[in-house]
Amino acid sequence: MPELIINGPGGRLEARYHHESNADSPIALILHPHPQFGGTMNNQVVYTLYHTFAARGFSVLRFNFRGVGRSQGVWDGGPGELADAASALDWLQLVKPDAKTCWIAGVSFGTWIAMQLLMRRPEVDGFICVAPPSNLYDFSFLAPCPSSGLIINGDMDRVVPTPSVVEMAAKVKVQKGIKITHEIVQGANHFFENKTEELGNIVGSYLDERMIQFELDRERNKERERERERERQRQRELERLEAQSAPAAGAGGGSSDDDGDDE
């Protein structure tokens, strides 16, 4: 994975990108944990998510927020990092303009940024939130949450206790047809030490189910559109036949009048 540099709002952003050759391959953006507590795009959970998406045919981008690694700029406490994430998603969409679906994933602090970006970008179809710091940040802006997604945490997490995540998941307001799934990894701490395989399996299974459903929905939508087009063709044909028959009826009426005059 060669180094990639993206132009961000606060300077250059260091990134890594996995590219799929299919023009319509789905895309995913992954956001790392808190920069001031050692969070980088090379975090083991970020790395696990990156490869879990890539294994399922996604074109995937992960990057360092401003001031982290070789990314330029300085820590901004949230707003600047959100702007970085938006720029990274812009770059990913420029590279893959025909992507059939768009996902975003975050780890700890990265989930707070990811969900704010989700609320601003209606094209995002799904999300993965790993160890969301629901006791440290306000997630009440998810009102309503516009996309279905997975929230996952460890039952041994001492940074963000499970009851806090359960409460967050329960409070998230959703639109009709949107479903929030919450999974708890037994024995996992905030950093999923020695539990990344379990994490990857849960996320992978969730993605598999969602992508199968996505393809089914897409086929149903295509069939509905085909039926609508057939109906439009039938309507056009009916209008054409009516237009053709109108002059004949008029001509017949004129002939009848002529007969009456002859009498």
Side-chain angles (χ1 to χ4, degrees):
M1 291 173 286
E3 180 183 21
L4 171 69
I5 297 297
I6 297 172
N7 290 324
R12 296 190 302 274
L13 297 173
E14 180 185 16
R16 296 291 185 275
Y17 173 60
H18 169 80
H19 181 76
E20 289 287 337
S21 58
N22 293 338
D24 68 343
S25 67
I27 56 176
L29 174 67
I30 305 175
L31 308 181
H32 68 72
H34 203 299
Q36 293 194 315
F37 295 96
T40 77
M41 67 175 177
N42 294 321
N43 168 276
Q44 64 174 350
V45 178
V46 172
Y47 197 75
T48 297
L49 293 175
Y50 182 86
H51 285 282
T52 300
F53 276 102
R56 284 155 178 80
F58 281 73
S59 292
V60 196
L61 178 69
R62 73 184 200 270
F63 73 97
N64 279 330
F65 287 123
R66 57 185 60 197
V68 178
R70 298 182 62 183
S71 291
Q72 295 179 324
V74 294
W75 162 252
D76 193 45
E81 288 72 25
L82 177 57
D84 292 344
S87 293
L89 184 56
D90 288 342
W91 182 91
L92 188 54
Q93 290 176 316
L94 284 173
V95 173
K96 302 293 293 187
D98 299 318
K100 58 186 175 182
T101 185
C102 175
W103 283 65
I104 188 167
V107 182
S108 193
F109 168 80
T111 68
W112 186 57
I113 300 299
M115 299 309 281
Q116 292 181 71
L117 186 59
L118 172 73
M119 296 299 292
R120 291 163 170 78
R121 303 295 282 264
E123 68 271 26
V124 177
D125 300 303
F127 66 85
I128 305 293
C129 278
V130 179
S134 49
N135 59 333
L136 303 174
Y137 292 93
D138 183 10
F139 283 82
S140 63
F141 56 83
L142 293 169
C145 183
S147 301
S148 297
L150 171 67
I151 297 173
I152 183 168
N153 69 291
D155 70 336
M156 300 298 290
D157 190 335
R158 295 186 178 182
V159 178
V160 184
T162 293
S164 175
V165 181
V166 171
E167 183 180 2
M168 168 201 163
K171 285 184 175 180
V172 171
K173 296 179 181 178
V174 297
Q175 301 183 54
K176 184 178 180 181
I178 300 300
K179 180 181 179 182
I180 306 300
T181 302
H182 181 205
E183 296 284 353
I184 300 174
V185 178
Q186 300 299 315
N189 61 17
H190 191 67
F191 308 101
F192 285 82
E193 292 175 316
N194 302 316
K195 292 293 180 178
T196 53
E197 183 176 353
E198 289 91 331
L199 173 68
N201 289 338
I202 292 173
V203 173
S205 295
Y206 179 79
L207 288 175
D208 290 341
E209 292 177 6
R210 284 290 306 276
M211 293 307 292
I212 290 172
Q213 188 60 52
F214 173 81
E215 292 296 340
L216 291 174
D217 290 344
R218 189 162 71 156
E219 283 304 314
R220 279 195 290 266
N221 290 336
K222 286 181 178 179
E223 181 54 37
R224 281 195 290 266
E225 182 54 39
R226 286 192 289 265
E227 180 55 37
R228 284 193 289 267
E229 180 57 31
R230 287 192 289 267
E231 181 58 33
R232 287 192 289 266
Q233 290 177 352
R234 286 192 291 267
Q235 186 62 32
R236 288 193 292 267
E237 181 63 18
L238 181 60
E239 292 171 354
R240 185 183 66 81
L241 293 174
E242 290 175 348
Q244 287 179 345
S245 64
S255 175
S256 177
D257 290 342
D258 291 342
D259 292 344
D261 291 341
D262 290 341
E263 291 178 357

